[in-house]
Amino acid sequence: MLDHITETTLLLDEKKCRQNIAMMTEKAARNNVRLRPHFKTHQSAQVGEWFREAGTEAITVSSLKMARYFVMHGWKDIMVAIPVNIRDMALVNELASKIKLHLVAVNIETVQALAEQLKHPVNLWLKIDTGYRRTGILPHSHEELDAIVALLEQSDNLKFTGVLAHDGHTYKQTDAEAIRTIHHTTVFLLNLVRDRYKVRFPELQVSIGDTPSCSILQTITGVDEIRPGNYVFYDLTQQHIGSCSFEQIAVCMACPVIAKHPERNEIIVHGGSVHFSKDSLVGADGSLIFGRVVELTENGWSEPLEGIEVVSLSQEHGTIRASKGLFERYKIGDLMGILPIHSCLTADVMGSYTTLEGKRLEHLSGIGQQGQPV
């Protein structure tokens, strides 16, 4: 399969991917919580089928466009986890007419617009800011919450379904206990909000979603639903956090070597920010790392090699600094395997996957308006 690769290619190990899916599916079942995986990481109809085969029925997406894509592929219970874009109410109504649609709001203006313009019932979740400080209603903003809930009570098409949060600040941790503390704080705060309204809405649910806490914790209580997404592939960031091992990372870039510079032991590959994005990690010496080099094989790839790493990215070029021995191992025209820092963004900019068996899988970003590859 490697002999047929002519350009920068995102490889996907289906076996590892299915193992990651099975791991989280089992954990959710063991803890008696609903698993609503976030599909923004893979954005692929074919990968989505692997979830369906594992028993997944409800999913999360990050845009209305992504929701429409997965509706086209038979998914009937979808949460759009970003706050509703009220400028696209026509698509909201189109989706609501076809599926069980879950929407998220963080302000009364959005709820008012939905109440006035919805033509079909939707499930409405309030996003609570439990510490991430990206967006959401603060859990103690009782006046704001009360006003929104009162409006929900008056609407025929808005069903107040629950409260949710995304603990994005777990991604800044490398200590498992710190991640547990963030998780338990979020669960406590979400339940405070639920308790405030549970007499009027006895079926209110709590939903959380972040791969670090859902990966590290073995026991999950106080929630009805979890929404991790990155775990389907994992990446170097998740390994750095402690969410996974190198062996669980299910995607790898294959980049052609296009230049070598022995005077500085640097190898140039065709693989830049338009392929990886520009996410980075801080190395042990304080320098930025944009990827880790692995040895490609017909059956996958090795763990990261020591003494060689991606030290910079420009638009199309990747610069790899290597020890003398590893520098001499590669020649012009070889393929270098590179594990991505952030698999979600890497997949999004690449727009497709190639499995280890040579099969091409689609990605939403590589699909045109008429559903054809671009």
Side-chain angles (χ1 to χ4, degrees), residues 8 255-256 258-259 261 264 267-278 290 310-320 338:
T8 312
C255 300
I258 56 176
H261 297 280
R264 55 181 188 265
I267 301 169
I268 306 300
V269 296
H270 186 201
S273 58
V274 297
H275 306 97
F276 286 94
S277 84
K278 277 205 170 183
F290 294 88
V310 185
V311 296
S312 70
L313 295 174
S314 52
Q315 184 164 329
E316 298 279 353
H317 301 67
T319 300
I320 297 171
I338 301 173

Side-chain angles (χ1 to χ4, degrees), residues 47-62:
V47 176
E49 289 305 307
W50 303 345
F51 282 87
R52 205 194 305 267
E53 290 169 16
T56 297
E57 297 179 348
I59 66 172
T60 308
V61 298
S62 57

Side-chain angles (χ1 to χ4, degrees), residues 159-272:
K159 178 186 177 183
F160 185 21
T161 305
V163 292
L164 60 79
H166 172 62
D167 281 339
H169 43 320
T170 59
Y171 286 76
K172 300 182 183 299
Q173 306 298 324
T174 57
D175 178 72
E177 194 55 42
I179 291 171
R180 290 189 186 95
T181 298
I182 290 172
H183 169 80
H184 291 310
T185 299
T186 289
V187 172
F188 173 76
L189 292 172
L190 288 176
N191 276 281
L192 280 182
V193 178
R194 173 164 64 175
D195 289 348
R196 183 174 180 84
Y197 304 108
K198 69 179 181 181
V199 172
R200 292 149 65 189
F201 299 90
E203 296 182 356
L204 275 186
Q205 300 177 45
V206 168
S207 175
I208 59 124
D210 68 293
T211 286
S213 67
C214 291
S215 296
I216 288 172
L217 274 73
Q218 293 303 313
T219 301
I220 301 173
T221 60
V223 304
D224 302 286
E225 176 179 275
I226 57 174
R227 310 183 320 277
N230 181 271
Y231 75 95
V232 64
F233 295 154
Y234 284 123
D235 50 34
L236 289 179
T237 295
Q238 295 294 342
Q239 189 278 330
H240 179 72
I241 291 169
S243 304
C244 69
S245 64
F246 286 122
E247 291 84 356
Q248 290 175 282
I249 299 176
V251 288
C252 177
M253 292 285 279
C255 300
V257 175
I258 56 176
K260 293 184 68 179
H261 297 280
E263 71 278 8
R264 55 181 188 265
N265 283 339
E266 287 183 352
I267 301 169
I268 306 300
V269 296
H270 186 201

Side-chain angles (χ1 to χ4, degrees), residues 228-371:
N230 181 271
Y231 75 95
V232 64
F233 295 154
Y234 284 123
D235 50 34
L236 289 179
T237 295
Q238 295 294 342
Q239 189 278 330
H240 179 72
I241 291 169
S243 304
C244 69
S245 64
F246 286 122
E247 291 84 356
Q248 290 175 282
I249 299 176
V251 288
C252 177
M253 292 285 279
C255 300
V257 175
I258 56 176
K260 293 184 68 179
H261 297 280
E263 71 278 8
R264 55 181 188 265
N265 283 339
E266 287 183 352
I267 301 169
I268 306 300
V269 296
H270 186 201
S273 58
V274 297
H275 306 97
F276 286 94
S277 84
K278 277 205 170 183
D279 277 22
S280 62
L281 290 173
V282 179
D285 61 356
S287 62
L288 294 181
I289 298 172
F290 294 88
R292 296 287 302 277
V293 176
V294 295
E295 192 75 29
L296 292 175
T297 70
E298 286 298 329
N299 298 316
W301 51 83
S302 68
E303 287 198 11
L305 303 174
E306 295 299 327
I308 184 169
E309 55 198 20
V310 185
V311 296
S312 70
L313 295 174
S314 52
Q315 184 164 329
E316 298 279 353
H317 301 67
T319 300
I320 297 171
R321 190 168 297 140
S323 65
K324 183 174 177 58
L326 287 174
F327 177 85
E328 294 175 348
R329 180 185 299 185
Y330 297 95
K331 63 182 185 295
I332 303 299
D334 282 351
L335 284 177
M336 297 191 76
I338 301 173
L339 298 181
I341 300 294
H342 187 176
S343 61
C344 305
L345 289 181
T346 300
D348 193 71
V349 296
M350 287 300 293
S352 69
Y353 311 94
T354 298
T355 70
L356 299 182
E357 294 73 36
K359 182 180 179 182
R360 187 178 184 275
L361 307 182
E362 71 183 35
H363 184 287
L364 174 59
S365 68
I367 300 297
Q369 290 297 316
Q370 304 305 316

Side-chain angles (χ1 to χ4, degrees), residues 20-34:
N20 293 339
I21 293 170
M23 173 272 297
M24 197 65 71
T25 301
E26 185 279 330
K27 180 179 290 187
R30 173 162 38 88
N31 285 279
N32 196 31
V33 297
R34 182 190 310 109

